[in-house]
Amino acid sequence: MPFTAPIPPPGEQPLAPTPYRDLPRDPGAAAMANRFRIDRSSATEEFGLACQRLIPWPGGEAETPVGAMACFLRPGGDSDPDCHNQDEVMIILAGVGAVTLDGELEPPFRAGDIVVLPRNREHVVHNTGDTELSWVSLYWPLREPALPTDGTDGTNRTDRPDDTAENKEVAA
């Protein structure tokens, strides 16, 4: 049976039942879903703001491919500068703010926006409003990989000259 959306658009009735709605449930079976709430009272101070770790969750799989945390920044506040070898996506839940990325102030954002922060770029989040700014940050990989020690940033760079002293010694 093909899957149909369980939540129809406003004012419309579902066209067909979903394949999961009428499945028999074993009354003795344990619930499969793990549910918890984003809650500022569960947050601890990190990075100059309040953070609630979401993924991995307590009692969950320890080595997930991604991490997530809910972040709460007081009105007029700034996060500590942060730079990591992980990509990060901010899903803005409430408030207004802006990000400084490598010293450049980016355009402002507000609730409902998604902000993508590339890896290895220093960033500072600013709450530019008069209410708490909150967002969920998803980052991957879960554990920050080490940066290469060969002087490169790990990308295929074409802007490095081939006639560096190091290359001349190898060629000689």
Side-chain angles (χ1 to χ4, degrees):
M1 175 189 305
F3 179 79
T4 58
I7 302 172
E12 291 185 24
Q13 297 297 317
L15 299 176
T18 68
Y20 308 106
R21 184 170 290 145
D22 298 322
L23 288 176
R25 183 169 169 94
D26 178 359
M32 297 298 287
N34 188 350
R35 188 168 102 179
F36 52 97
R37 296 188 58 79
I38 294 173
D39 182 4
R40 190 186 191 307
S41 68
S42 298
T44 58
E45 285 294 316
E46 293 182 67
F47 311 108
L49 49 106
C51 298
Q52 177 190 4
R53 297 291 172 157
L54 303 173
I55 300 173
W57 51 87
E61 191 176 322
E63 289 300 317
T64 59
V66 300
M69 60 185 175
C71 301
F72 308 90
L73 185 59
R74 69 188 178 287
D78 300 316
S79 71
D80 292 341
D82 193 17
C83 186
H84 42 78
N85 193 13
Q86 297 156 300
D87 291 302
E88 182 174 352
V89 173
M90 299 170 59
I91 303 168
I92 312 304
L93 302 176
V96 294
V99 171
T100 298
L101 189 62
D102 285 343
E104 297 289 325
L105 185 63
E106 296 287 315
F109 56 76
R110 61 188 170 93
D113 288 345
I114 296 176
V115 179
V116 179
L117 302 173
R119 64 181 56 212
N120 301 319
R121 307 279 301 274
E122 185 180 81
H123 51 277
V124 176
V125 180
H126 313 281
N127 182 342
T128 58
D130 56 5
T131 60
E132 186 170 74
L133 173 63
S134 62
W135 69 94
V136 170
S137 273
L138 297 167
Y139 52 92
W140 63 93
L142 175 64
R143 309 239 182 263
E144 185 173 5
L147 286 173
T149 58
D150 62 1
T152 69
D153 63 2
T155 60
N156 293 328
R157 295 187 56 171
T158 58
D159 60 344
R160 292 182 61 161
D162 288 334
D163 59 350
T164 62
E166 183 179 285
N167 288 340
K168 286 181 182 175
E169 288 177 20
V170 171

